[in-house]
């Protein structure tokens, strides 16, 4: 099913390329606004969650990339957990993702 949908999207990609970047700006602004609303729900008294959330919220606009911001958040969360002595609470996939992002950023 994924392969079929991917093949269909390959034919639709040139049509999506017709849309100018200026036309996508309002949608990106709306998504950014919805993401910012969620910052009020972050418990800033808990450093182990507040610091990675802040890093993500700050890195996304500074890097112009949602994936880079999320990557920095993964790295920060893993580092905070390791430095606070909670290494056992980290899932191996989270650690692997943080290491992969760190490697990606080091090579970039």
């Amino acid at each position: 099913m994924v392969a079929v949908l991917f093949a269909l999207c390959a034919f639709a990609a040139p049509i999506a390329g017709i849309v100018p970047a200026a036309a996508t700006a309002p949608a990106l602004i709306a998504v950014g606004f919805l993401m910012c609303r969620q910052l009020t729900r972050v418990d800033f008294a808990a450093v182990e969650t507040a610091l990675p959330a802040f890093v993500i919220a700050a890195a996304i606009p500074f890097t112009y990339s949602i994936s880079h911001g999320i990557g920095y958040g993964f790295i920060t969360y893993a580092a905070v957990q390791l430095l606070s002595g909670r290494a056992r609470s980290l899932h191996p996939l989270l650690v692997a993702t943080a290491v992969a992002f760190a490697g990606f950023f080091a090579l970039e």
Side-chain angles (χ1 to χ4, degrees), residues 13-70:
I15 296 170
I18 295 171
V19 179
T24 61
L28 292 175
I29 292 169
V31 169
F33 175 73
L34 292 172
M35 289 173 62
C36 286
R37 276 191 5 197
Q38 298 304 315
L39 284 175
T40 60
R41 300 177 69 196
V42 175
D43 180 16
F44 284 101
V47 176
E48 62 273 359
T49 56
L51 186 60
F54 173 75
V55 168
I56 291 170
I60 287 173
F62 285 129
T63 62
Y64 297 104
S65 172
I66 293 173
S67 60
H68 281 76
I70 292 172

